[in-house]
Amino acid sequence: MTDFDFALGDNADMIRDSAARFSTDKIAPLAAEIDDKDWFPRELWPAMGELGLHGITVPEEDGGLGLGYLEHVVAQEEVARASASIGLSYGAHSNLCVNQIRRWGNPQQKAKYLPGLISGTHVGSLAMSEAGAGSDVVSMKLKAEKKGDRYILNGTKFWITNATYADTLVVYAKTGEGSKGITTFIIEKDMKGFSIGQKIAKVGMRGSPTAELVFEDCEVPQDNIMGPLDGGVGVLMSGLDYERTVLSGIQLGIMQACLDVVLPYVRERRQFGKPIGAFQLMQAKVADMYVALNSARAYVYAVARACDAGKTTRFDAAGAILLASENAMKTALEAVQALGGAGYTKDWPVERYMRDAKLLDIGAGTNEIRRMLIGRELIGA
């Protein structure tokens, strides 16, 4: 398929080429096994680090590539094209963890944590959600109480991507009352009182580990506060626009993967004496899939460029991931339909694309929350 030229620039094209080659050679051959065994191939992380994929938005002086969110979206897209579950873990590592430390960490914290995360010798994670605090994240219960030069954390986090492999975690906890009493901490996996709880089995995105975090009198040095004390909501909210934008690349990758399978199939599969792609109804399906992909690309790339220019809006970041997630689900369903009975079997990957696509209607804020946010911001309510 000939790609439409979005004129993203030399840096984005370079990132796409290197990420696509790596993903095709190293990730795609493992994708079915990753899903079947719910297996996280930890050995990919240092290899991705060698390409610079973990530190795309980190300045060169801190060990990164010094590029922007547009390039990060492109890398995210190509990784997810090979395996959406690896794409999800990659986004949680490189954006939710690395990018937040890059934006909010002090010089000492950056020097301590970024090298391992950027090289891929360490895995990163971010923990906001709890069993009773999802969309209403400010209602979190994880409590941090000051004791001398340390904070003692008690409680749990839930639905945490990369939890079982994470060496470094950005964690939000209550240090006071209400929205002005939340603080961001950098947690290390070996800290006393910290452990991994229940591992969560998911319908899709298998191989991207999701689990509960347990804090039982977990001792965290005061030096591990990231950003201002009681200013965690500001840290959290400031990262959501970038999170939504970068994670939108996962849906783009899923849609491209669907077309990668469907186009050759409809050219080769014959019924009634001719390829099924010769039938107008099948041509209409392919056309809808292609338009869904490129319309989402246009919006996501535009929002990523706005992020890089410091001009993004909260409702457009939500809008980009809303459009991409819904288009990805529709495209994956059409891919299954295009393959007919074959599409409903494990012999073809489109059923995996369908299962993987559904998560993005829910993760990083549900589509209902995205619509509420967009409408509220536009109306000024």
Side-chain angles (χ1 to χ4, degrees), residues 59-255:
E60 292 183 54
E61 57 266 29
D62 290 323
L65 296 184
L67 300 176
Y69 295 106
L70 177 62
E71 290 82 11
H72 202 172
V73 166
V74 167
Q76 178 77 86
E77 180 180 350
E78 292 301 329
V79 172
R81 181 179 181 178
S83 168
S85 62
I86 296 303
L88 178 62
S89 283
Y90 167 63
H93 171 93
S94 60
N95 180 261
L96 278 68
C97 183
V98 173
N99 193 58
Q100 282 293 74
I101 294 175
R102 187 273 296 182
R103 295 178 64 241
W104 287 97
N106 60 39
Q108 293 75 26
Q109 291 167 342
K110 291 179 184 180
K112 182 176 182 180
Y113 295 109
L114 286 181
L117 292 167
I118 291 172
S119 69
T121 57
H122 288 177
V123 173
S125 180
L126 179 140
M128 292 190 300
S129 300
E130 299 178 6
S135 297
D136 181 18
V137 70
V138 176
S139 67
M140 66 179 66
K141 303 295 185 188
L142 176 62
K143 193 171 183 61
E145 296 183 303
K146 195 169 190 310
K147 186 176 181 181
D149 62 350
R150 295 179 173 270
Y151 279 80
I152 308 301
L153 274 61
N154 280 286
T156 61
K157 292 290 181 182
F158 211 63
W159 313 113
I160 307 306
T161 302
N162 292 350
T164 46
Y165 289 87
D167 302 278
T168 305
L169 305 96
V170 175
V171 176
Y172 298 91
K174 278 291 184 77
T175 46
E177 298 299 323
S179 62
K180 297 185 187 296
I182 293 174
T183 299
T184 314
F185 295 88
I186 300 177
I187 303 297
E188 300 170 20
K189 68 175 182 180
D190 295 327
M191 283 180 171
K192 181 181 177 182
F194 173 70
S195 63
I196 304 300
Q198 174 186 350
K199 295 178 177 62
I200 301 165
K202 306 187 299 294
V203 170
M205 295 294 189
R206 292 168 52 79
S208 177
T210 307
E212 175 188 34
L213 307 181
V214 178
F215 298 84
E216 296 178 305
D217 292 331
C218 177
E219 298 182 10
V220 182
Q222 182 173 311
D223 289 345
N224 279 50
I225 289 177
M226 188 172 76
L229 178 66
D230 295 331
V233 168
V235 175
L236 187 160
M237 294 301 179
S238 73
L240 285 179
D241 293 346
Y242 306 122
E243 173 186 340
R244 288 169 173 147
T245 302
V246 171
L247 293 185
S248 297
I250 298 174
Q251 294 96 311
L252 303 183
I254 289 172
M255 286 187 273

Side-chain angles (χ1 to χ4, degrees), residues 295-348:
S295 58
R297 273 179 170 153
Y299 197 4
V300 172
Y301 294 160
V303 171
R305 279 176 156 148
C307 288
D308 289 330
K311 295 180 179 179
T312 190
T313 63
R314 181 149 296 171
F315 50 87
D316 278 311
I321 195 169
L322 171 65
L323 179 68
S325 69
E326 293 196 340
N327 282 8
M329 193 65 207
K330 292 173 185 175
T331 299
L333 286 168
E334 287 286 37
V336 172
Q337 193 71 19
L339 270 64
Y344 201 63
T345 70
K346 292 279 190 180
D347 294 334
W348 291 83

